[in-house]
Amino acid sequence: MIESLSNWSHQFFVDHLILALLVMTRIGALLVAIPSMTAVIERKMQVLLAATITFLILPTVAANTATEIPDSSHIAEVLIAVVHEALIGLLIGTTVQLIITGIQVGAEVTSTSGAIQAASTTDESGQSMPALARLVGLLIVAILFAAGGHRLIMNILLDSFTRLPPGTVVLNESMLTLVIDQLTSGMVAGLRIAAPVIAALLLSNLVIGLISRTLPQLNVLAIGLSINALAILVVTAITIGSAGLIFQEELAVAVQKLSEIW
């Protein structure tokens, strides 16, 4: 019985080789487009993860795919279908990643404004970034998993296979509009997180200005940097919880917009 089941599964994947390629391309592009979640996973493990998910959902996708898959003899059609699948995976991943990136940019703005950007670390791509921005990015990723965001992303992916079966993807203007809207939403989310800290910095600069007028003999530069750093740390500690709430709100909106596109 086990041998017959193995033979059936082998023949099934041989018959649906092109479909498996298209499904794995969409999943792989999704994983690549969210480096905040997958950068800590080695490339080999990412490929293995994409292959495992493909193996699990391929029978369901094959049963729901009533349209004709490009034949392997038509290389050009297969390549076009692969590109379309990759773009759909990138669309889903980029929609989520833009929110995380926007929030990180907001934290980076606060670090730069308070002159504490010297305390830097590296992000997922190996580039240098302020430690505060990196901390906020890790917090957002932790909230993403804690709130079940990874399950939402998987639901979006499975829903896309139902609404847009492999080989039938047609790109339209609404997809590009979604990316632009999410870029704007991500930047707005970052500004919402940075606003309290920037306001505190403005207030601290006013205090430093008064001190410099009252006691000109003091080293205003050293005192000002210390006060600004203290203001950033205190206000960030008080308001950092809002980053998670803003992210969950933006993620819910992004999921709704993707569902409307399908």
Side-chain angles (χ1 to χ4, degrees), residues 119-190:
S120 61
T121 182
T122 56
D123 61 1
E124 294 83 3
S125 60
Q127 297 180 351
S128 178
M129 69 184 308
L132 180 61
R134 178 62 175 155
L135 173 63
V136 172
L138 293 175
L139 173 65
I140 294 303
V141 174
I143 292 174
L144 173 65
F145 284 102
H150 56 295
R151 290 193 292 270
L152 283 177
I153 296 173
M154 184 58 64
N155 287 335
I156 295 172
L157 178 65
L158 296 177
D159 190 45
S160 71
F161 282 119
T162 302
R163 305 291 183 87
L164 295 177
T168 64
V169 175
V170 178
L171 304 179
N172 53 60
E173 184 180 355
S174 62
M175 296 180 181
L176 179 60
T177 302
L178 175 61
V179 174
I180 296 174
D181 290 343
Q182 285 305 115
L183 177 60
T184 304
S185 299
M187 294 299 104
V188 171

Side-chain angles (χ1 to χ4, degrees), residues 29-35 86-102 153 175 178-180 182-183 186 254 258:
L30 169 62
L31 296 177
V32 171
I34 315 182
L87 290 176
I88 292 299
L90 290 175
L91 175 66
I92 299 173
T94 302
T95 300
V96 178
Q97 181 61 38
L98 284 176
I99 303 174
I100 301 175
T101 302
I153 296 173
M175 296 180 181
L178 175 61
V179 174
I180 296 174
Q182 285 305 115
L183 177 60
L258 282 171

Side-chain angles (χ1 to χ4, degrees), residues 103-121 128-137 190 193-198 201 225 228-233 236:
I103 294 176
Q104 284 183 318
V105 169
E108 189 169 352
V109 168
T110 60
S111 299
T112 305
S113 301
I116 63 171
Q117 68 270 24
S120 61
T121 182
S128 178
M129 69 184 308
L132 180 61
R134 178 62 175 155
L135 173 63
V136 172
I193 292 173
V197 181
I198 294 176
L201 286 174
L225 291 177
N228 285 341
L230 182 62
I232 287 179
L233 294 177
T236 300

Side-chain angles (χ1 to χ4, degrees), residues 59-76:
T60 303
V61 174
N64 294 332
T65 304
T67 56
E68 191 70 23
I69 299 297
D71 191 81
S72 58
S73 59
H74 299 83
I75 303 299

Side-chain angles (χ1 to χ4, degrees), residues 199-224:
L201 286 174
L202 290 175
L203 181 60
S204 68
N205 286 330
L206 289 175
V207 173
I208 294 169
L210 293 175
I211 293 176
S212 66
R213 287 290 186 177
T214 306
L215 302 171
Q217 67 273 20
L218 294 179
N219 188 349
V220 179
L221 180 60
I223 296 176

